[in-house]
Amino acid sequence: MASSKDKVYRGKLKRAGSLTMKEPPVITNVSGDRVFRLEEFDIIKTIGTGTFGRVSLCRDKVTTSYYAMKILEMADVIKLKQVEHVKNEKTILQQIRHPFIINMVWTTHDDTSLYMLFEYVCGGELFTYLRNAGRFSSIIGSFYAAEVVLALEYLHKKQIVYRDLKPENLLLDRDGHLKLTDFGFAKILNDRTWTLCGTPEYLAPEIIQSKGHNKAVDWWALGILIYEMLSGYPPYFDENPFAIYEKILAGKIEWPRHIDPVAKDLIKKLLVQDRTKRIGNMKNGAEDVKRHRWFKGTIWDDILNKRVKPPLLPYVGSDGDTRNFDNYPEKDQFKRSPLLNTNELESFNGF
Ligand SMILES: Nc1ncnc2c1ncn2[C@@H]1O[C@H](COP(=O)(O)OP(=O)(O)O)[C@@H](O)[C@H]1O
Ligand SMILES: [Mg+2]
């Protein structure tokens, strides 16, 4: 039976978006032999909106294949001080290739907007499946957690910290495997970084305290994600973000009675305030997480090679089916985007 706390949280269908506080890119206009042009794409329907822009299903007129196009208005990117983040997003996406991470195909810009073209991941957000199910069993949760662990391990080996792990940024592909998307806050780490970004419920204590943070924040967020998958709501929540931060720093977690004690042990080790003692961030890195008893039955090589059958199979009709996404109001076609001055335009050179 759902607890009252459960009901309160599930009433909130959409969480507020991510926070907006704070290598020269290579021009990519080719994929294989193909040279893309914006005119070759029909924009069909908005399938996601975020803090800075929208993601639309689009169709390549040349091959008739479907893609997802993330479109950001440069004026908004500048206003919200996201120029560096957006450049990071592109540079990082260009460097990664992993079975559980979104594949970027092409980027371009015109005089008002930035465009990032991605493979279309038709199953929709893990968030939707979780809210529909209420909560996941330990078996389902550990499958998704395992795919996330491999994605994080891969990114961290490349010195990339992801910083926005949550069910809204995990998409299900046609077969039900995860694709981590949204690299808007990802960053290549040298030492520590100070920008306050992420989503309130998923922020590690060291981010809130502005102590400087590193890869450990992703392991913290994994702890929040596993708790949310198994409970249906995150361990720390409130209407007011500041009250969430207070709860995170106080560190008191209420455990639903049904939670798997082995999962609870892993969550506790991930939600350790002292990041030097947080599992995933110690000498053996991700290996400690992979060896935890909750993953006892997990054969990591099988997970990586997609030999494990996903627990949920998205329902999809034809190729460009958007039934797994919410409906969003479409942008007013006749509203002109604000024009930029030369200086502003130059800050996106090479995108
Ligand atoms: N490649 C994709 N295929 C299908 N849907 C996508 C894709 N990329 C993003 N989306 C949808 O759009 C939403 C917003 O995209 P995201 O990259 O997370 O932008 P934001 O930075 O605005 O949160 C995602 O949560 C997802 O629902
Ligand atoms: Mg997002």
Side-chain angles (χ1 to χ4, degrees), residues 18 47-55 68 70 72 89 102 118-122 124-125 164 166 168-169 171 181-184 325 328:
S18 312
I47 50 176
T49 57
T51 328
F52 321 121
R54 63 179 58 227
V55 176
K70 186 164 175 173
L72 307 171
E89 180 169 9
I102 191 76
F118 295 95
E119 57 181 324
Y120 173 49
V121 188
C122 61
E125 299 173 11
D164 208 8
K166 55 178 173 178
E168 294 89 324
N169 285 339
L171 301 176
T181 169
D182 196 354
F183 279 67
F325 293 87
Y328 297 88

Side-chain angles (χ1 to χ4, degrees), residues 18-67:
S18 312
L19 294 177
T20 60
M21 295 179 238
K22 208 188 162 183
E23 313 141 31
V26 188
I27 300 176
T28 46
N29 58 353
V30 286
S31 166
D33 295 335
R34 169 86 182 276
V35 179
F36 288 109
R37 284 183 309 130
L38 261 185
E39 308 79 68
E40 290 166 352
F41 292 93
D42 279 326
I43 304 284
I44 298 173
K45 187 180 193 296
T46 303
I47 50 176
T49 57
T51 328
F52 321 121
R54 63 179 58 227
V55 176
S56 299
L57 175 72
C58 67
R59 187 174 168 147
D60 179 352
K61 293 185 223 170
V62 179
T63 60
T64 72
S65 316
Y66 290 92
Y67 291 94

